[in-house]
Amino acid sequence: MSITITKPETKRMAFDVERVRADFPILHQKVHGKPLVYLDNAASTQKPRAVIETLKHYYEHDHANVHRGVHALSERATEQYEEARIIVQRFINAPCLRELIFTRGATEAINLVAQTFGRTHVHAGDEVIVTALEHHSNIVPWQVLCWEKHANLRVVPINDAGELQLDELVKLINPATKIIALAHVSNSLGTINPLKKIIELAHQRGVVVFVDGAQAVPHLRIDVQDLNCDFYAFSGHKVYGPTGIGALYGKPQHLELMPPYQTGGDMISYVSFAKTTWNELPYKFEAGTPNIAGAIGLAAALDYVDEIGRDAIAEHEHRLLTYATERVAAIAGVRIIGTAAAKAGVLSFVVEDTSALDVGTKLDLEGVAVRTGHHCCQPLMEILHIAGTVRASFAMYNTLEEVDVFADALEKIVAAARPTRAASVNGEYVYPAAVAANPLEAADEIAEYFEAVDDWADKYEYLIDIGSKLPAMPAVLKQECNRVQGCQSTVFMHARKRPGSPDVVEFLADSDADIVRGELALLQRLYSGQHAGEVLAFDVEAFMRRIGLDKNLTQGRRNGMAEMIKRVQRFAGEVAAKK
């Protein structure tokens, strides 16, 4: 049965997306010969020309250190820096400037509160509550605090749609609960949490609420007074501003009693060798030279968002998400992860029998940028019983036509998915023999193809092809002891010394990702069946540069491949030592 999906009309009178796109220079380029479709906005948004030019003007005309200078440049820089604080205050409707602290981003803000307010108020036997939806940045700081204080970390569960189970939260809150820390919007599923209701529940029981607003500020109108939260943090780079800048709002009754997070210049009032007193708020928490340009750039980004109109942006993004959800849901073999009734512009999904890494790589070859993996939400992925998802996330400059490009590419990828490899070849498991006399000769054979091909897409297909021929690895060897950590996909490697040989290394390997199987097949051709000493002597980094994998593989995949290489080299070292 075919499903007809009607593309919604673009309401140009309310929101002119083409006008918006013209303000973002980076969008007008090609990737792998295809027009860029940037759908990785939950990781970081692109920057409008207003932000870029503001930063350029500051560095060309006004740069100086702030607050203590008496010369003209310092006065101009200080004025712009403090004006930026006013703009951030207005954007989130904070009551006054002293409650608004500039940080390096949401992560630093979370650590600041955990290490100051948390250390002061959480003691042995107390409890901190987080949710199953949290980013690692809003888990680990509280986890470390609980370890140090011998307190307990509690987790609010979710339902099948990816929504918090509020009835379970009510049960979790007790006299030992000191803090609830939660995201306003889930970075991995897009779920918008019912924040006002949660804050009311918490305050009725005397519990302080910290809100990670990193994913909410780009999509929702934020009013910290209406929310009545105790703390609210966000990052500039997710709301069209520079990296390395963010803000923390805190109620003054908390901030006044919190000790400094860092010490040094500008956060002091008086220093002697006998005694130091702290500066007033907010400067007590802004030690050292701040990110002056970042704050000014963030203010320019927020002004830009207000100029376009937050309500118009939200309506446009909702239209994009609704249409993308319909298109993706209609593709057989694709399952959407996170179907909450209230969602921001995030669409996460998995493809049957195809790893998220492969889907993301293949979408990239079509010019579509998405994020793959666990999205710094490993506990959530474990709850969902998946390794990770493909995540498409939307911003004000995305279009319905881009959704079509993305969905059409995804349909093609799913239709062309390779069948699952057989568990064995003729019922036997065979460790691969050497393909050449030594690793150098094997490298020359591999490089001959790579050096003859310029297009990464062709090299990618070559890796996929040799990966499909990777000798099967028996299930009995896919144990935790053979798992390679540090990879974006699931990878198993099992090396052994060839029976009857004093020093020949051979190994089997497997992964749930086609591209990684290709990388493993490369390593097998280089190493399996070779003498341990030659394995150790081979300059694999030079080889990777020679065939261009140092440029064509992402940093995450390069890191994973480095871990695979270390695994083989470590075993070769053990064999060589015993020879």
Side-chain angles (χ1 to χ4, degrees):
M1 181 180 69
S2 62
I3 300 175
T4 301
I5 299 171
T6 302
K7 184 188 299 184
E9 294 182 5
T10 302
K11 300 178 181 178
R12 295 182 64 85
M13 64 178 182
F15 187 85
D16 188 345
V17 68
E18 293 304 325
R19 174 223 158 174
V20 170
R21 289 181 63 81
D23 291 336
F24 290 81
I26 200 171
L27 298 179
H28 309 289
Q29 63 174 290
K30 290 186 176 181
V31 175
H32 303 301
K34 308 289 179 61
L36 171 64
V37 176
Y38 186 79
L39 301 180
D40 193 21
N41 297 288
S44 195
T45 52
Q46 300 300 343
K47 316 307 167 194
R49 191 171 281 106
V51 172
I52 297 169
E53 292 178 351
T54 295
L55 292 171
K56 181 174 182 288
H57 184 276
Y58 167 75
Y59 278 122
E60 288 183 344
H61 298 282
D62 300 324
H63 173 65
N65 216 328
V66 293
H67 295 146
R68 294 180 299 279
V70 296
H71 57 84
L73 292 183
S74 179
E75 289 180 357
R76 293 207 300 262
T78 300
E79 181 180 358
Q80 292 177 60
Y81 181 73
E82 293 304 334
E83 176 66 24
R85 199 188 306 273
I86 295 171
I87 291 170
V88 176
Q89 175 207 9
R90 184 173 65 232
F91 195 83
I92 64 171
N93 196 31
C96 64
L97 289 174
R98 61 197 296 267
E99 301 166 358
L100 203 289
I101 299 158
F102 282 123
T103 66
R104 289 187 296 126
T107 297
E108 184 179 52
I110 297 167
N111 279 275
L112 188 161
V113 175
Q115 294 302 308
T116 56
F117 182 87
R119 279 184 168 171
T120 304
H121 291 81
V122 175
H123 304 94
D126 286 341
E127 295 183 357
V128 175
I129 295 176
V130 297
T131 82
L133 293 172
E134 301 310 310
H135 188 282
H136 295 166
S137 293
N138 204 32
I139 297 174
V140 180
W142 307 109
Q143 191 176 58
V144 170
L145 173 68
C146 289
W147 290 344
E148 291 177 351
K149 293 292 187 175
H150 302 287
N152 300 302
L153 191 70
R154 303 299 187 198
V155 182
V156 184
I158 57 173
N159 61 22
D160 292 340
E163 299 165 321
L164 295 181
Q165 296 185 29
L166 295 189
D167 54 339
E168 294 298 322
L169 171 60
V170 172
K171 295 175 185 176
L172 284 173
I173 300 175
N174 66 77
T177 307
K178 300 300 180 186
I179 301 169
I180 296 175
L182 79 161
H184 195 162
V185 172
S186 164
N187 75 297
S188 57
L189 304 184
T191 304
I192 301 174
N193 288 320
L195 211 52
K196 283 194 70 172
K197 182 179 291 187
I198 291 171
I199 292 169
E200 289 173 5
L201 285 171
H203 286 175
Q204 289 169 6
R205 308 285 286 274
V207 177
V208 168
V209 179
F210 177 96
V211 181
D212 172 5
Q215 295 294 334
V217 171
H219 304 293
L220 308 177
R221 185 177 291 276
I222 308 302
D223 185 336
V224 295
Q225 293 188 69
D226 181 59
L227 290 172
N228 196 27
C229 54
D230 296 278
F231 299 98
Y232 197 101
F234 70 95
S235 297
H237 72 100
K238 295 185 189 295
V239 64
Y240 311 101
T243 57
I245 189 69
L248 169 67
Y249 157 77
K251 288 184 175 179
Q253 61 265 37
H254 302 318
L255 297 176
E256 291 284 6
L257 298 177
M258 288 159 51
Y261 175 55
Q262 296 175 325
T263 55
D266 221 32
M267 51 73 60
I268 53 87
S269 175
Y270 172 80
V271 175
S272 71
F273 286 115
K275 180 183 179 182
T276 296
T277 57
W278 314 132
N279 204 343
E280 62 185 10
L281 292 173
Y283 309 110
K284 181 173 76 168
F285 296 105
E286 294 180 4
T289 299
N291 185 354
I292 305 164
I296 295 168
L298 172 59
L302 300 184
D303 276 346
Y304 179 83
V305 169
D306 272 336
E307 178 189 342
I308 301 299
R310 282 187 260 181
D311 293 338
I313 291 170
E315 181 182 356
H316 173 68
E317 291 177 345
H318 179 71
R319 190 158 53 245
L320 292 171
L321 177 62
T322 300
Y323 182 53
T325 301
E326 292 174 352
R327 288 255 7 222
V328 171
I331 302 173
V334 176
R335 176 165 62 97
I336 293 174
I337 306 296
T339 56
K343 285 185 64 174
V346 172
L347 179 62
S348 282
F349 59 91
V350 294
V351 177
E352 184 179 350
D353 296 328
T354 305
S355 77
L357 178 60
D358 285 330
V359 175
T361 303
K362 292 172 183 177
L363 284 171
D364 176 60
L365 294 175
E366 299 296 325
V368 181
V370 296
R371 183 71 43 160
T372 67
H374 53 64
H375 314 299
C376 292
C377 294
Q378 284 179 297
L380 173 61
M381 298 301 147
E382 290 179 4
I383 291 170
L384 297 172
H385 304 293
I386 55 178
T389 70
V390 181
R391 183 186 70 189
S393 49
F394 306 99
M396 68 166 84
Y397 42 65
N398 291 127
T399 67
L400 294 169
E401 290 72 24
E402 287 183 318
V403 172
D404 281 333
V405 171
F406 154 64
D408 290 346
L410 181 60
E411 285 181 338
K412 184 169 69 172
I413 290 166
V414 173
R418 298 170 186 270
T420 304
R421 296 180 307 128
S424 63
V425 179
N426 296 326
E428 297 181 359
Y429 303 107
V430 180
Y431 285 79
V435 298
N438 54 60
L440 285 173
E441 290 187 13
D444 287 340
E445 292 180 9
I446 296 169
E448 184 176 350
Y449 173 82
F450 275 86
E451 291 170 347
V453 176
D454 292 327
D455 188 20
W456 164 239
D458 291 334
K459 295 177 181 179
Y460 174 82
E461 284 301 322
Y462 171 76
L463 287 173
I464 297 298
D465 183 60
I466 64 173
S468 68
K469 300 179 178 66
L470 191 71
M473 186 178 189
V476 70
L477 293 179
K478 294 181 180 181
Q479 301 177 10
E480 195 61 30
C481 62
N482 289 327
R483 182 165 180 167
V484 181
Q485 302 298 330
C487 299
Q488 292 182 319
S489 62
T490 302
V491 179
F492 294 98
M493 297 181 71
H494 179 264
R496 73 174 187 179
K497 182 172 69 68
R498 178 182 292 169
S501 171
D503 67 339
V504 171
V505 174
E506 53 190 15
F507 69 91
L508 290 173
D510 202 359
S511 171
D512 60 351
D514 289 344
I515 183 65
V516 178
R517 281 197 288 269
E519 295 166 11
L520 290 167
L522 272 187
L523 296 182
Q524 280 193 338
R525 293 186 178 204
L526 289 172
Y527 290 145
S528 194
Q530 301 291 352
H531 294 281
E534 292 177 333
V535 169
L536 294 171
F538 179 68
D539 189 346
V540 68
E541 291 184 4
F543 170 71
M544 294 302 169
R545 290 193 297 272
R546 179 181 176 186
I547 65 175
L549 291 190
D550 61 320
K551 297 178 181 178
N552 288 315
L553 292 182
T554 64
Q555 183 63 53
R557 292 216 300 275
R558 290 200 299 273
N559 292 342
M561 196 164 189
E563 292 300 319
M564 301 174 210
I565 293 167
K566 287 178 186 177
R567 175 69 68 103
V568 178
Q569 290 177 333
R570 185 164 58 245
F571 182 77
E574 294 170 358
V575 171
K578 294 176 181 178
K579 181 181 175 183

